[in-house]
Amino acid sequence: GAGVSQSPRYKVAKRGQDVALRCDPISGHVSLFWYQQALGQGPEFLTYFQNEAQLDKSGLPSDRFFAERPEGSVSTLKIQRTQQEDSAVYLCASSFLRGDEQFFGPGTRLTVL
Amino acid sequence: GESVGLHLPTLSVQEGDNSIINCAYSNSASDYFIWYKQESGKGPQFIIDIRSNMDKRQGQRVTVLLNKTVKHLSLQIAATQPGDSAVYFCAEKSYSGAGSYQLTFGKGTKLSVIP
């Protein structure tokens, strides 16, 4: 079956531009997570959804970051007025239930020039 | 704050040898640890996990050891193969009061297998 997919795989943005990153979780998975992975580092938690409810956004680094999952399936991570420090790989993961194993997508590599 | 980290950033091993990747954690309240493998251009992939009430857990060619006294976690890979070349992360699972849980990852160790 299909795993978690993310698009685009690569995104180059000029500083100040807005970007939108998409995550398609595994069908039927209730929980969805976003992580940010800087070069040479481990992933860092950004936010968590249970169905369409965003239960935890404590990891979002600033109010320029916004995530949504309006129908409890596909999720979008939006970054407004991108800065160079936003350059990273953004990973999406989903799990069937809250405490279950998380399955990760391939990530979107964002480069802000 | 609490953190999960690794002792060795890189590790090179000969094909067929055993590999040991280490991880130190600081949150003594952690009750669940996971090892992930991440290949270039891919997301992390679950390898094996262990609960804090266990000292050892074995999988296929992999063994995880947990020493709560010194807050140390290790991943042992037997008969290392070229396909094992990747970056390995340990992660700690924690629950928040918001009904959420999250994984806290260490920095990773790059394993290179020499044919």
Side-chain angles (χ1 to χ4, degrees):
Chain A
V4 178
S5 61
Q6 294 185 246
S7 61
R9 290 295 315 276
Y10 303 91
K11 177 68 178 178
V12 178
K14 292 182 179 179
R15 188 161 55 96
Q17 284 185 331
D18 297 349
V19 298
L21 312 180
R22 177 187 170 108
C23 172
D24 285 79
I26 294 173
S27 178
H29 277 196
V30 169
S31 297
L32 185 144
F33 307 80
W34 283 98
Y35 293 84
Q36 180 189 60
Q37 185 173 24
L39 186 64
Q41 304 293 317
E44 292 192 356
F45 171 82
L46 293 177
T47 188
Y48 163 71
F49 288 86
Q50 183 171 303
N51 294 307
E52 70 279 1
Q54 188 175 21
L55 297 187
D56 189 347
K57 52 183 180 180
S58 62
L60 296 177
S62 77
D63 58 8
R64 296 186 295 104
F65 287 72
F66 173 78
E68 60 182 5
R69 193 186 186 198
E71 298 180 356
S73 178
V74 172
S75 177
T76 303
L77 176 67
K78 298 179 179 178
I79 308 173
Q80 297 177 324
R81 305 181 302 281
T82 53
Q83 304 295 318
Q84 285 189 322
E85 60 264 29
D86 299 335
S87 296
V89 174
Y90 290 86
L91 294 164
C92 175
S94 70
S95 66
F96 181 61
L97 293 175
R98 186 181 72 145
D100 292 347
E101 176 186 343
Q102 294 185 27
F103 294 87
F104 284 81
T108 294
R109 180 177 295 278
L110 173 65
T111 302
V112 182
L113 302 177
Chain B
E2 303 290 0
S3 66
V4 178
L6 297 177
H7 293 302
L8 299 174
T10 60
L11 177 65
S12 295
V13 298
Q14 204 73 34
E15 180 179 358
D17 288 351
N18 296 334
S19 303
I20 300 176
I21 300 171
N22 297 302
C23 175
Y25 65 94
S26 58
N27 185 358
S28 58
S30 301
D31 62 358
Y32 199 86
F33 301 91
I34 308 169
W35 280 100
Y36 284 90
K37 172 186 180 183
Q38 187 173 27
E39 297 175 279
S40 181
K42 297 183 179 180
Q45 178 184 9
F46 174 94
I47 301 174
I48 191 168
D49 58 12
I50 188 168
R51 293 191 179 277
S52 61
N53 61 357
M54 301 171 67
D55 297 323
K56 179 180 180 179
R57 191 172 186 206
Q58 288 185 295
Q60 187 177 8
R61 283 200 308 118
V62 295
T63 301
V64 55
L65 299 178
L66 177 61
N67 186 330
K68 293 181 287 294
T69 301
V70 295
K71 298 179 185 175
H72 184 267
L73 194 68
S74 69
L75 176 70
Q76 300 178 1
I77 304 174
T80 312
Q81 303 170 0
D84 295 327
S85 294
V87 177
Y88 290 80
F89 295 96
C90 64
E92 166 194 358
K93 180 187 283 189
S94 60
Y95 290 86
S96 75
S100 168
Y101 83 94
Q102 55 182 269
L103 297 174
T104 302
F105 287 81
K107 291 186 177 180
T109 292
K110 182 178 181 179
L111 175 64
S112 296
V113 181
I114 304 167

Short mmCIF file of all heavy atoms in Angstrom, two decimals, chain A residues 9 33 35 37 40-43 45 48 50 55-56 58 91 95 98-102 104-106, chain B residues 32 36 38 41-46 89 93 95-96 98-108:
data_model
loop_
_atom_site.label_atom_id
_atom_site.label_comp_id
_atom_site.label_asym_id
_atom_site.label_seq_id
_atom_site.Cartn_x
_atom_site.Cartn_y
_atom_site.Cartn_z
N ARG A 9 8.87 17.72 -3.45
CA ARG A 9 10.03 17.13 -2.80
C ARG A 9 11.11 18.18 -2.55
O ARG A 9 11.85 18.10 -1.57
CB ARG A 9 10.59 16.00 -3.65
CG ARG A 9 9.72 14.77 -3.72
CD ARG A 9 9.57 14.08 -2.36
NE ARG A 9 10.84 13.96 -1.66
CZ ARG A 9 11.69 12.98 -1.86
NH1 ARG A 9 11.44 12.03 -2.73
NH2 ARG A 9 12.83 12.95 -1.16
N PHE A 33 1.77 14.28 12.11
CA PHE A 33 2.81 15.06 12.75
C PHE A 33 3.64 15.78 11.68
O PHE A 33 3.88 15.23 10.61
CB PHE A 33 3.77 14.17 13.55
CG PHE A 33 3.09 13.26 14.54
CD1 PHE A 33 2.50 12.08 14.13
CD2 PHE A 33 3.08 13.58 15.89
CE1 PHE A 33 1.88 11.23 15.04
CE2 PHE A 33 2.48 12.73 16.81
CZ PHE A 33 1.87 11.57 16.38
N TYR A 35 7.52 17.62 11.35
CA TYR A 35 8.84 17.81 11.95
C TYR A 35 9.70 18.67 11.03
O TYR A 35 9.53 18.67 9.82
CB TYR A 35 9.56 16.46 12.15
CG TYR A 35 8.93 15.54 13.16
CD1 TYR A 35 7.89 14.70 12.81
CD2 TYR A 35 9.39 15.50 14.48
CE1 TYR A 35 7.31 13.84 13.74
CE2 TYR A 35 8.82 14.65 15.42
CZ TYR A 35 7.78 13.83 15.03
OH TYR A 35 7.22 12.98 15.95
N GLN A 37 13.74 19.24 10.06
CA GLN A 37 15.06 18.63 10.20
C GLN A 37 16.11 19.50 9.54
O GLN A 37 16.19 19.57 8.31
CB GLN A 37 15.08 17.22 9.62
CG GLN A 37 16.40 16.49 9.86
CD GLN A 37 16.37 15.04 9.42
OE1 GLN A 37 15.57 14.65 8.55
NE2 GLN A 37 17.22 14.22 10.01
N GLY A 40 22.17 17.86 9.11
CA GLY A 40 23.03 17.23 10.10
C GLY A 40 22.43 17.08 11.47
O GLY A 40 23.13 16.71 12.42
N GLN A 41 21.14 17.36 11.58
CA GLN A 41 20.46 17.27 12.88
C GLN A 41 19.34 16.25 12.83
O GLN A 41 18.92 15.81 11.76
CB GLN A 41 19.88 18.63 13.27
CG GLN A 41 20.90 19.76 13.31
CD GLN A 41 21.90 19.59 14.42
OE1 GLN A 41 21.55 19.23 15.54
NE2 GLN A 41 23.16 19.83 14.12
N GLY A 42 18.83 15.91 14.00
CA GLY A 42 17.66 15.06 14.06
C GLY A 42 16.40 15.87 13.86
O GLY A 42 16.39 17.09 14.01
N PRO A 43 15.31 15.21 13.48
CA PRO A 43 14.04 15.93 13.31
C PRO A 43 13.58 16.56 14.61
O PRO A 43 13.79 15.99 15.68
CB PRO A 43 13.07 14.82 12.86
CG PRO A 43 13.95 13.73 12.32
CD PRO A 43 15.20 13.79 13.12
N PHE A 45 10.12 18.24 16.47
CA PHE A 45 8.66 18.29 16.44
C PHE A 45 8.17 19.71 16.19
O PHE A 45 8.66 20.67 16.79
CB PHE A 45 8.12 17.77 17.77
CG PHE A 45 6.65 17.96 17.97
CD1 PHE A 45 5.74 17.05 17.42
CD2 PHE A 45 6.15 19.03 18.68
CE1 PHE A 45 4.38 17.22 17.60
CE2 PHE A 45 4.80 19.21 18.87
CZ PHE A 45 3.91 18.30 18.33
N TYR A 48 1.09 18.61 15.92
CA TYR A 48 0.39 17.33 15.91
C TYR A 48 -1.10 17.53 15.68
O TYR A 48 -1.71 18.42 16.27
CB TYR A 48 0.64 16.61 17.24
CG TYR A 48 -0.32 15.48 17.53
CD1 TYR A 48 -0.25 14.29 16.80
CD2 TYR A 48 -1.28 15.58 18.53
CE1 TYR A 48 -1.12 13.25 17.06
CE2 TYR A 48 -2.15 14.54 18.79
CZ TYR A 48 -2.07 13.38 18.05
OH TYR A 48 -2.93 12.34 18.30
N GLN A 50 -4.86 15.41 15.50
CA GLN A 50 -5.68 14.20 15.67
C GLN A 50 -6.94 14.45 14.85
O GLN A 50 -7.76 15.31 15.22
CB GLN A 50 -6.01 13.95 17.13
CG GLN A 50 -6.80 12.69 17.36
CD GLN A 50 -6.93 12.35 18.85
OE1 GLN A 50 -5.95 12.21 19.55
NE2 GLN A 50 -8.16 12.25 19.32
N LEU A 55 -3.91 19.49 18.05
CA LEU A 55 -3.85 19.37 19.49
C LEU A 55 -2.58 19.95 20.10
O LEU A 55 -2.54 20.25 21.30
CB LEU A 55 -3.99 17.91 19.92
CG LEU A 55 -5.31 17.23 19.57
CD1 LEU A 55 -5.38 15.84 20.19
CD2 LEU A 55 -6.50 18.07 20.01
N ASP A 56 -1.55 20.09 19.29
CA ASP A 56 -0.28 20.57 19.83
C ASP A 56 0.46 21.31 18.74
O ASP A 56 0.76 20.74 17.70
CB ASP A 56 0.54 19.38 20.34
CG ASP A 56 1.78 19.79 21.13
OD1 ASP A 56 2.16 20.98 21.09
OD2 ASP A 56 2.37 18.91 21.77
N SER A 58 3.10 23.38 19.82
CA SER A 58 4.14 23.96 20.66
C SER A 58 5.50 24.04 19.99
O SER A 58 6.35 24.82 20.40
CB SER A 58 4.26 23.15 21.96
OG SER A 58 4.66 21.81 21.67
N LEU A 91 9.45 17.15 7.43
CA LEU A 91 8.98 15.78 7.41
C LEU A 91 7.56 15.70 7.96
O LEU A 91 7.22 16.37 8.94
CB LEU A 91 9.88 14.89 8.28
CG LEU A 91 11.32 14.70 7.80
CD1 LEU A 91 12.18 14.16 8.94
CD2 LEU A 91 11.37 13.75 6.62
N SER A 95 0.27 8.17 12.00
CA SER A 95 0.10 6.92 12.71
C SER A 95 -1.39 6.63 12.83
O SER A 95 -2.22 7.54 12.80
CB SER A 95 0.75 6.97 14.11
OG SER A 95 0.10 7.90 14.94
N ARG A 98 -2.98 7.49 18.26
CA ARG A 98 -2.08 8.47 18.86
C ARG A 98 -0.73 7.89 19.24
O ARG A 98 0.31 8.46 18.91
CB ARG A 98 -2.74 9.06 20.10
CG ARG A 98 -1.95 10.19 20.73
CD ARG A 98 -2.65 10.70 21.96
NE ARG A 98 -2.56 9.77 23.06
CZ ARG A 98 -2.45 10.13 24.33
NH1 ARG A 98 -2.40 11.40 24.63
NH2 ARG A 98 -2.40 9.23 25.28
N GLY A 99 -0.69 6.75 19.89
CA GLY A 99 0.57 6.24 20.40
C GLY A 99 1.26 5.23 19.52
O GLY A 99 2.30 4.68 19.89
N ASP A 100 0.69 4.99 18.35
CA ASP A 100 1.23 3.97 17.46
C ASP A 100 2.50 4.42 16.75
O ASP A 100 2.87 5.61 16.76
CB ASP A 100 0.18 3.57 16.41
CG ASP A 100 -0.99 2.83 17.00
OD1 ASP A 100 -0.90 2.40 18.17
OD2 ASP A 100 -2.01 2.70 16.30
N GLU A 101 3.13 3.45 16.08
CA GLU A 101 4.33 3.74 15.30
C GLU A 101 4.05 4.82 14.26
O GLU A 101 3.03 4.80 13.58
CB GLU A 101 4.80 2.48 14.59
CG GLU A 101 6.00 2.67 13.67
CD GLU A 101 6.34 1.42 12.90
OE1 GLU A 101 5.87 0.33 13.28
OE2 GLU A 101 7.06 1.53 11.88
N GLN A 102 4.97 5.76 14.16
CA GLN A 102 4.85 6.82 13.17
C GLN A 102 5.54 6.41 11.87
O GLN A 102 6.68 5.95 11.89
CB GLN A 102 5.48 8.11 13.70
CG GLN A 102 4.76 8.70 14.89
CD GLN A 102 5.34 10.03 15.32
OE1 GLN A 102 5.91 10.76 14.50
NE2 GLN A 102 5.20 10.36 16.58
N PHE A 104 6.97 7.85 8.39
CA PHE A 104 7.43 9.12 7.86
C PHE A 104 7.37 9.17 6.33
O PHE A 104 7.60 8.17 5.65
CB PHE A 104 8.87 9.40 8.29
CG PHE A 104 9.01 9.82 9.71
CD1 PHE A 104 9.02 8.89 10.74
CD2 PHE A 104 9.11 11.17 10.04
CE1 PHE A 104 9.14 9.29 12.07
CE2 PHE A 104 9.24 11.58 11.36
CZ PHE A 104 9.25 10.63 12.37
N GLY A 105 7.08 10.37 5.82
CA GLY A 105 7.22 10.61 4.40
C GLY A 105 8.66 10.94 4.05
O GLY A 105 9.51 11.03 4.94
N PRO A 106 8.95 11.15 2.77
CA PRO A 106 10.31 11.42 2.32
C PRO A 106 10.78 12.82 2.64
O PRO A 106 11.98 13.11 2.57
CB PRO A 106 10.25 11.19 0.81
CG PRO A 106 8.84 11.51 0.47
CD PRO A 106 8.01 11.06 1.63
N TYR B 32 9.94 5.27 27.03
CA TYR B 32 9.84 4.61 25.74
C TYR B 32 10.88 5.20 24.81
O TYR B 32 10.92 6.41 24.61
CB TYR B 32 8.42 4.83 25.19
CG TYR B 32 8.01 3.87 24.11
CD1 TYR B 32 7.44 2.64 24.41
CD2 TYR B 32 8.14 4.23 22.77
CE1 TYR B 32 7.04 1.77 23.42
CE2 TYR B 32 7.74 3.37 21.77
CZ TYR B 32 7.19 2.14 22.10
OH TYR B 32 6.79 1.29 21.12
N TYR B 36 15.68 4.80 14.95
CA TYR B 36 15.27 5.01 13.56
C TYR B 36 16.50 4.96 12.66
O TYR B 36 17.60 5.35 13.05
CB TYR B 36 14.60 6.37 13.38
CG TYR B 36 13.19 6.45 13.89
CD1 TYR B 36 12.92 6.83 15.20
CD2 TYR B 36 12.11 6.14 13.06
CE1 TYR B 36 11.63 6.91 15.67
CE2 TYR B 36 10.81 6.22 13.52
CZ TYR B 36 10.59 6.61 14.83
OH TYR B 36 9.31 6.67 15.30
N GLN B 38 17.72 6.40 8.88
CA GLN B 38 17.36 7.34 7.83
C GLN B 38 18.39 7.28 6.71
O GLN B 38 19.55 7.62 6.89
CB GLN B 38 17.27 8.77 8.37
CG GLN B 38 16.73 9.76 7.34
CD GLN B 38 16.48 11.14 7.92
OE1 GLN B 38 17.11 11.55 8.89
NE2 GLN B 38 15.56 11.88 7.32
N GLY B 41 17.81 11.10 1.50
CA GLY B 41 16.64 11.46 0.71
C GLY B 41 15.35 10.80 1.16
O GLY B 41 14.32 10.92 0.48
N LYS B 42 15.40 10.12 2.30
CA LYS B 42 14.20 9.44 2.81
C LYS B 42 13.90 9.89 4.23
O LYS B 42 14.74 10.47 4.92
CB LYS B 42 14.41 7.93 2.78
CG LYS B 42 14.61 7.35 1.39
CD LYS B 42 14.72 5.84 1.44
CE LYS B 42 14.90 5.26 0.05
NZ LYS B 42 15.01 3.77 0.08
N GLY B 43 12.68 9.60 4.65
CA GLY B 43 12.32 9.89 6.03
C GLY B 43 12.82 8.79 6.96
O GLY B 43 13.20 7.71 6.52
N PRO B 44 12.84 9.06 8.26
CA PRO B 44 13.26 8.04 9.23
C PRO B 44 12.38 6.80 9.15
O PRO B 44 11.17 6.90 8.95
CB PRO B 44 13.10 8.75 10.57
CG PRO B 44 13.14 10.20 10.25
CD PRO B 44 12.50 10.33 8.91
N GLN B 45 13.00 5.66 9.35
CA GLN B 45 12.30 4.39 9.31
C GLN B 45 12.49 3.68 10.65
O GLN B 45 13.61 3.54 11.14
CB GLN B 45 12.85 3.52 8.18
CG GLN B 45 12.22 2.15 8.07
CD GLN B 45 12.87 1.30 6.99
OE1 GLN B 45 13.90 1.68 6.43
NE2 GLN B 45 12.28 0.16 6.71
N PHE B 46 11.39 3.25 11.25
CA PHE B 46 11.43 2.54 12.54
C PHE B 46 12.27 1.28 12.44
O PHE B 46 12.15 0.51 11.49
CB PHE B 46 9.99 2.20 12.92
CG PHE B 46 9.85 1.35 14.16
CD1 PHE B 46 9.64 1.95 15.39
CD2 PHE B 46 9.91 -0.03 14.09
CE1 PHE B 46 9.50 1.17 16.52
CE2 PHE B 46 9.77 -0.81 15.20
CZ PHE B 46 9.57 -0.22 16.44
N PHE B 89 19.20 7.37 14.39
CA PHE B 89 18.77 8.27 15.45
C PHE B 89 18.11 7.47 16.57
O PHE B 89 17.34 6.54 16.30
CB PHE B 89 17.71 9.26 14.94
CG PHE B 89 18.20 10.22 13.90
CD1 PHE B 89 18.01 9.95 12.56
CD2 PHE B 89 18.80 11.40 14.27
CE1 PHE B 89 18.44 10.84 11.59
CE2 PHE B 89 19.22 12.31 13.31
CZ PHE B 89 19.05 12.02 11.97
N LYS B 93 10.00 9.02 23.32
CA LYS B 93 8.59 9.37 23.18
C LYS B 93 8.10 9.99 24.48
O LYS B 93 8.35 9.46 25.56
CB LYS B 93 7.77 8.13 22.87
CG LYS B 93 6.28 8.41 22.70
CD LYS B 93 5.47 7.14 22.55
CE LYS B 93 5.58 6.57 21.18
NZ LYS B 93 4.61 5.45 20.98
N TYR B 95 4.60 12.21 26.25
CA TYR B 95 3.22 12.65 26.12
C TYR B 95 3.05 14.04 26.73
O TYR B 95 3.63 14.34 27.75
CB TYR B 95 2.28 11.66 26.80
CG TYR B 95 2.18 10.35 26.08
CD1 TYR B 95 3.10 9.34 26.32
CD2 TYR B 95 1.20 10.13 25.13
CE1 TYR B 95 3.04 8.14 25.63
CE2 TYR B 95 1.11 8.93 24.44
CZ TYR B 95 2.05 7.94 24.69
OH TYR B 95 1.97 6.76 24.01
N SER B 96 2.23 14.83 26.08
CA SER B 96 1.95 16.17 26.60
C SER B 96 0.54 16.20 27.16
O SER B 96 -0.29 15.34 26.87
CB SER B 96 2.10 17.22 25.50
OG SER B 96 0.99 17.17 24.63
N ALA B 98 -1.69 18.05 26.30
CA ALA B 98 -2.64 18.48 25.28
C ALA B 98 -3.20 17.30 24.50
O ALA B 98 -3.82 17.49 23.47
CB ALA B 98 -1.96 19.45 24.32
N GLY B 99 -3.00 16.10 25.01
CA GLY B 99 -3.49 14.94 24.30
C GLY B 99 -2.59 14.53 23.16
O GLY B 99 -2.97 13.71 22.33
N SER B 100 -1.43 15.10 23.14
CA SER B 100 -0.50 14.82 22.06
C SER B 100 0.67 14.00 22.58
O SER B 100 0.87 13.88 23.78
CB SER B 100 0.02 16.14 21.49
OG SER B 100 1.12 15.94 20.64
N TYR B 101 1.43 13.47 21.68
CA TYR B 101 2.73 12.95 22.07
C TYR B 101 3.70 13.31 20.97
O TYR B 101 3.31 13.57 19.83
CB TYR B 101 2.71 11.44 22.32
CG TYR B 101 2.83 10.58 21.07
CD1 TYR B 101 4.06 10.11 20.65
CD2 TYR B 101 1.72 10.24 20.34
CE1 TYR B 101 4.18 9.32 19.53
CE2 TYR B 101 1.82 9.44 19.21
CZ TYR B 101 3.05 8.99 18.81
OH TYR B 101 3.17 8.20 17.69
N GLN B 102 4.93 13.37 21.30
CA GLN B 102 5.93 13.74 20.33
C GLN B 102 7.20 12.94 20.54
O GLN B 102 7.42 12.36 21.59
CB GLN B 102 6.25 15.24 20.42
CG GLN B 102 6.66 15.73 21.78
CD GLN B 102 6.90 17.23 21.79
OE1 GLN B 102 7.99 17.69 21.57
NE2 GLN B 102 5.85 18.00 22.08
N LEU B 103 7.99 12.89 19.50
CA LEU B 103 9.28 12.23 19.54
C LEU B 103 10.36 13.28 19.64
O LEU B 103 10.35 14.27 18.91
CB LEU B 103 9.49 11.39 18.28
CG LEU B 103 8.51 10.23 18.06
CD1 LEU B 103 8.75 9.59 16.71
CD2 LEU B 103 8.65 9.21 19.18
N THR B 104 11.31 13.08 20.54
CA THR B 104 12.48 13.95 20.66
C THR B 104 13.68 13.15 20.17
O THR B 104 14.04 12.14 20.76
CB THR B 104 12.70 14.39 22.12
OG1 THR B 104 11.54 15.07 22.57
CG2 THR B 104 13.90 15.32 22.21
N PHE B 105 14.26 13.61 19.08
CA PHE B 105 15.35 12.91 18.42
C PHE B 105 16.71 13.42 18.87
O PHE B 105 16.87 14.61 19.17
CB PHE B 105 15.28 13.09 16.90
CG PHE B 105 14.19 12.32 16.23
CD1 PHE B 105 12.89 12.80 16.21
CD2 PHE B 105 14.45 11.12 15.59
CE1 PHE B 105 11.87 12.10 15.57
CE2 PHE B 105 13.46 10.41 14.94
CZ PHE B 105 12.16 10.91 14.93
N GLY B 106 17.69 12.54 18.86
CA GLY B 106 19.08 12.93 19.01
C GLY B 106 19.62 13.42 17.68
O GLY B 106 18.90 13.48 16.69
N LYS B 107 20.93 13.74 17.66
CA LYS B 107 21.52 14.31 16.46
C LYS B 107 21.83 13.27 15.40
O LYS B 107 21.93 13.60 14.23
CB LYS B 107 22.79 15.08 16.81
CG LYS B 107 22.53 16.35 17.61
CD LYS B 107 23.81 17.14 17.81
CE LYS B 107 23.52 18.44 18.55
NZ LYS B 107 24.77 19.23 18.75
N GLY B 108 22.02 12.05 15.73
CA GLY B 108 22.26 11.02 14.73
C GLY B 108 23.71 10.57 14.64
O GLY B 108 24.63 11.33 14.93
#
